[in-house]
Amino acid sequence: MKRLTTIQPIENFTRVFFLLSFLLFFSCTQNQKQHTDSKDMVAARVNDAVIKQRDVDNRIEKRLYNILYQVYALRRQEINVMIDEQIISLEAEKHHLTSEMLLDSIINRKVNRENLDAFTRKYKFDVNGITSFNNTMEAISVDSHRGRQLLELKYKKELLELYTDSLRAYYEVAIDLQPPPTPRVLVDKFNARYRGKTNSPVTVFMVSDLECSMCREFKPTFDSVYQKYKDKVRFGFSYFSSDVTLSSLALECAGKQNRFWEMYDSIANRKKVITVDDAFAIASNCKLDMEKFYNDIQDTLLYNTLVDDYKKISGQGVYGTPTIMVDSRILPDWDSSESLETAIEHALSRKQ
């Protein structure tokens, strides 16, 4: 009997454990399935016709993204504040101080008339006033009591940012928070040129304006990425601007003679916007049929085609240049080859 009373609780515990495990697994599976199927949920009905959540989300995809990105930006901002607080706390411990004592010794001791005057001249607060956001934006004189208060607060904020930025180099800081996926852009609707591995499942697409200084500055970065991945990835290009430009016309004319990329490199590598004489000189250097180039560049049909192209691009939510996309999704951070290469590597790994 003693042996039976010892084994029975163990058997009961085992049964309960497996039952709870099954229920937990079933619950998690159902939750995951509900999340996966949420897009296919019926959101509304009109008689026998149904409106699915997926269709609603597709209609307002760009507006949803803007809201989600605002949430992401708020979270990232607060994460950076919390990281700085943690770093300051760790740094204070090293010196056997509280965070308040450390900041007082580093920042408050620099707040004096000489430094505040230099700060004022640096940002021309003495000329333009200091901006205050109190329901409405207004410029306040630094000679007023409120102006002096704002000046000191802004100066302390800059000192704190400089101090925490300098400390981050000595700590392992990693932010794992990811931005929401950007809306898909239907680049196949664009008038585009492609090069690289044109049958690749991964496409890097750039919308650019060769008369935009930022676009020309970014070209070396994009070129280095192209050279690294041209045997693995398809690279696309579309021109976009507020107006039809000489550069865009010259590119399209060169494209008609299969010299698009030669014209692209010649224009983009120049430090200044091309003139008409430059366009014809480049066309000659690219070995174009000059009579055809002359006729094409004056063709109103070509001009109207570019106007339609710009409307299609802006209709897809692309409003600025350069805009970089990987597999039809806009990259929020494209200012370095590292960020672009990371996005490409992720895209390639997903397609393997």
Side-chain angles (χ1 to χ4, degrees):
M1 290 294 293
K2 284 183 180 180
R3 187 165 176 262
L4 287 174
T5 55
T6 305
I7 293 175
Q8 195 169 7
I10 295 175
E11 291 176 342
N12 290 339
F13 172 79
T14 304
R15 290 192 189 99
V16 172
F17 174 79
F18 279 110
L19 179 60
L20 289 173
S21 299
F22 173 76
L23 290 173
L24 180 62
F25 172 77
F26 180 77
S27 174
C28 291
T29 304
Q30 288 298 106
N31 288 338
Q32 187 176 15
K33 186 176 185 299
Q34 288 174 6
H35 178 73
T36 303
D37 296 342
S38 63
K39 292 282 188 181
D40 292 320
M41 288 175 59
V42 174
R45 292 181 177 85
V46 179
N47 292 339
D48 294 331
V50 297
I51 298 172
K52 291 188 176 182
Q53 183 177 318
R54 180 185 300 277
D55 298 323
V56 176
D57 289 352
N58 287 340
R59 290 278 289 269
I60 59 173
E61 184 180 24
K62 291 182 177 66
R63 281 180 283 168
L64 283 175
Y65 170 75
N66 290 337
I67 294 170
L68 291 172
Y69 195 86
Q70 288 176 15
V71 173
Y72 162 77
L74 284 171
R75 285 175 173 162
R76 189 175 178 90
Q77 183 180 31
E78 197 58 32
I79 284 172
N80 277 304
V81 170
M82 295 172 73
I83 287 172
D84 288 342
E85 289 173 350
Q86 187 65 39
I87 288 175
I88 289 170
S89 177
L90 292 171
E91 195 68 17
E93 287 180 13
K94 289 181 183 179
H95 300 281
H96 307 289
L97 299 170
T98 64
S99 296
E100 292 76 13
M101 292 168 63
L102 176 66
L103 292 179
D104 183 67
S105 65
I106 297 294
I107 294 174
N108 289 344
R109 65 183 176 84
K110 293 184 179 180
V111 180
N112 54 53
R113 176 49 54 193
E114 181 182 354
N115 289 339
L116 286 172
D117 287 345
F119 183 67
T120 299
R121 291 191 297 272
K122 177 181 177 182
Y123 293 104
K124 297 183 178 179
F125 293 139
D126 52 338
V127 177
N128 304 320
I130 192 162
T131 305
S132 172
F133 296 92
N134 187 17
N135 295 327
T136 59
M137 186 177 71
E138 59 177 324
I140 298 174
S141 171
V142 291
D143 295 326
S144 67
H145 177 68
R146 178 62 179 153
R148 287 192 295 272
Q149 286 181 325
L150 286 172
L151 180 67
E152 187 170 320
L153 285 173
K154 284 184 179 290
Y155 182 56
K156 285 182 176 180
K157 182 181 178 182
E158 181 174 277
L159 289 176
L160 179 61
E161 289 174 352
L162 292 171
Y163 178 59
T164 52
D165 286 348
S166 67
L167 288 179
R168 284 197 182 205
Y170 301 98
Y171 292 88
E172 294 181 7
V173 177
I175 298 177
D176 298 321
L177 181 71
Q178 295 297 315
T182 56
R184 191 171 291 278
V185 177
L186 302 178
V187 296
D188 291 340
K189 293 178 178 281
F190 299 169
N191 174 30
R193 305 283 175 169
Y194 292 95
R195 61 177 172 173
K197 188 178 180 182
T198 53
N199 64 343
S200 172
V202 175
T203 298
V204 176
F205 201 95
M206 176 168 63
V207 177
S208 183
D209 174 6
L210 297 188
E211 299 194 4
C212 154
S213 58
M214 189 177 293
C215 294
R216 293 198 300 273
E217 289 171 9
F218 181 68
K219 185 178 183 293
T221 299
F222 197 77
D223 284 350
S224 68
V225 174
Y226 170 74
Q227 290 300 326
K228 184 174 181 178
Y229 290 97
K230 64 182 180 181
D231 296 326
K232 298 179 180 179
V233 172
R234 182 174 72 152
F235 286 81
F237 175 91
S238 276
Y239 205 105
F240 178 72
S241 180
S242 56
D243 298 298
V244 174
T245 64
L246 177 60
S247 296
S248 62
L249 289 167
L251 277 174
E252 289 304 311
C253 292
K256 287 176 177 288
Q257 300 188 42
N258 298 317
R259 291 286 189 276
F260 180 89
W261 293 109
E262 291 90 333
M263 178 67 76
Y264 166 80
D265 285 329
S266 297
I267 295 176
N269 288 335
R270 288 174 173 254
K271 293 183 179 180
K272 294 182 179 180
V273 175
I274 63 168
T275 64
V276 173
D277 289 341
D278 293 332
F280 278 86
I282 294 170
S284 178
N285 291 336
C286 291
K287 310 299 182 187
L288 298 185
D289 180 330
M290 295 306 296
E291 183 178 353
K292 179 173 175 52
F293 181 81
Y294 178 81
N295 291 329
D296 287 342
I297 207 166
Q298 299 179 83
D299 189 354
T300 55
L301 180 61
L302 176 60
Y303 182 95
N304 292 332
T305 299
L306 286 170
V307 171
D308 290 339
D309 289 342
Y310 296 174
K311 288 179 180 178
K312 289 177 184 177
I313 292 172
S314 61
Q316 286 292 310
V318 177
Y319 305 112
T321 55
T323 294
I324 309 298
M325 289 164 270
V326 175
D327 284 348
S328 300
R329 293 195 182 274
I330 296 173
L331 289 185
D333 304 313
W334 50 259
D335 56 344
S336 69
S337 57
E338 290 79 11
S339 59
L340 181 51
E341 287 176 15
T342 298
I344 293 173
E345 291 293 345
H346 286 164
L348 287 169
S349 65
R350 288 195 300 268
K351 299 297 174 69
Q352 287 179 351

